Every structure is written in structure tokens, then in C-alpha cells.
């Protein structure tokens, strides 16, 4: 197999897991929003539904931890693929006839993000979202109990 064939395989793998990561995040946001809407409905009911309210808060924390684990695993698979693509980019850098095929996007991205503390990455934003939902659920548990 040529490097071009390997690149096509790696790109499909990268694309699959990148899309999967975004779909997981979309599903997570919808699920958590529904749980919070349900919690608000329970809290606004005239009846004492403390067990259900606590159950929803626990579900918010549970699903946040599950989706955090799924996101972490998907991120690892994407990172592995990126590293392999960078190797192919470096190996084919400067070869005649490969200028258009081997742009070096992944290698260049690594150089532009050396100081990651100043860049808000997907991972950084996702972690803030996970923290937000867990924080809301824990605060609500204390208020309910």
C-alpha cells in the first residue's frame, strides 16, 4: 500500500471518530437539557416529589460521567489518528508531485497551538460543559435535601 492509501484510511478513521464525537456531544446536550427541564417541572409541582427530584439529579451526574468517559475515549482515538497522519505528512514533506496531496494541516496545527492555555479547544469547552451540568445537579441535590 502506498502512503496515499494509508492517508485515505487514516482520514476516514479520523472523520468517523470526529463526527462521532460531535454527535455524542449533541446527544449529551439534548439529554441533559431534557433532564433539567424535567427537574424544573418536578420542582414546580405542588406535590412533594423529593425522591424523583433527587433521582433526576443523580441521573444528570451519572450521564455526565458516562459521556465524559465516551468523549475521553473518542478523543484518544482521534489523537492516535492525528499522530499517524503527522508521521505521513512529515515523511512526504517536500517530495515532488505531492505538494497538493500532503498539505501538512495536522503538522501545522501542532505548531500553531504550542501554548494551549490561550486556546479554547473542544476538549476544554466540553470539560466546562460537563462541570456545569454536574455543578447544577449537585447544587440542586443540596437544595432539595
Amino acid at each position: 500500500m502506498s502512503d496515499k492509501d494509508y492517508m485515505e484510511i487514516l482520514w476516514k478513521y479520523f472523520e468517523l471518530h470526529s463526527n462521532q464525537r460531535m454527535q455524542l456531544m449533541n446527544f449529551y446536550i439534548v439529554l441533559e437539557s431534557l433532564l433539567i427541564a424535567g427537574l424544573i417541572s418536578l420542582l414546580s409541582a405542588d406535590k412533594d416529589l423529593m425522591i424523583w427530584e433527587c433521582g433526576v439529579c443523580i441521573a444528570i451526574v451519572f450521564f455526565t460521567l458516562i459521556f465524559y468517559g465516551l468523549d475521553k475515549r473518542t478523543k484518544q482515538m482521534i489523537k492516535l489518528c492525528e499522530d499517524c497522519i503527522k508521521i505521513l505528512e512529515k515523511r512526504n514533506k517536500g517530495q515532488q508531485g505531492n505538494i497538493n496531496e500532503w498539505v501538512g494541516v495536522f503538522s501545522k496545527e501542532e505548531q500553531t497551538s504550542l501554548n494551549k492555555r490561550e486556546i479554547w479547544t473542544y476538549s476544554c469547552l466540553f470539560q466546562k460543559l460537563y462541570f456545569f451540568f454536574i455543578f447544577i445537579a449537585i447544587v440542586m441535590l443540596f437544595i432539595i435535601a
Side-chain angles (χ1 to χ4, degrees):
M1 289 180 76
S2 68
D3 282 353
K4 184 177 180 179
D5 294 332
Y6 282 121
M7 182 61 92
E8 286 180 27
I9 292 168
L10 288 170
W11 180 255
K12 287 179 184 177
Y13 184 86
F14 174 80
E15 187 176 34
L16 171 76
H17 290 295
S18 297
N19 289 335
Q20 181 185 45
R21 188 176 190 203
M22 298 313 295
Q23 290 171 348
L24 276 170
M25 185 53 60
N26 289 336
F27 183 68
Y28 170 72
I29 291 169
V30 169
L31 177 65
E32 293 294 309
S33 298
L34 289 173
L35 287 171
I36 288 179
L39 180 61
I40 292 170
S41 295
L42 288 170
L43 291 170
S44 64
D46 293 334
K47 299 176 184 177
D48 183 27
L49 302 170
M50 188 173 109
I51 293 174
W52 288 101
E53 293 164 353
C54 290
V56 172
C57 289
I58 292 168
I60 290 170
V61 172
F62 173 76
F63 284 117
T64 297
L65 294 175
I66 294 297
F67 277 88
Y68 172 74
L70 289 169
D71 181 56
K72 190 172 182 178
R73 177 63 182 139
T74 305
K75 180 184 171 186
Q76 289 172 341
M77 291 188 289
I78 292 169
K79 179 69 173 135
L80 175 66
C81 186
E82 287 174 348
D83 291 344
C84 293
I85 290 173
K86 287 175 192 175
I87 291 169
L88 284 176
E89 286 178 343
K90 289 175 185 172
R91 185 173 17 186
N92 288 282
K93 183 179 178 184
Q95 287 186 5
Q96 294 294 334
N98 288 335
I99 295 171
N100 292 328
E101 295 176 39
W102 304 98
V103 180
V105 174
F106 290 87
S107 299
K108 289 177 185 176
E109 190 277 333
E110 183 178 66
Q111 295 170 359
T112 61
S113 62
L114 292 176
N115 191 355
K116 293 207 183 254
R117 285 180 280 158
E118 295 178 11
I119 297 174
W120 285 48
T121 62
Y122 280 111
S123 296
C124 173
L125 294 171
F126 291 169
Q127 287 175 2
K128 290 178 189 320
L129 189 64
Y130 296 135
F131 175 77
F132 171 76
F133 280 115
I134 284 182
F135 178 76
I136 294 291
I138 291 172
V139 166
M140 290 309 299
L141 272 173
F142 281 115
I143 291 171
I144 294 166

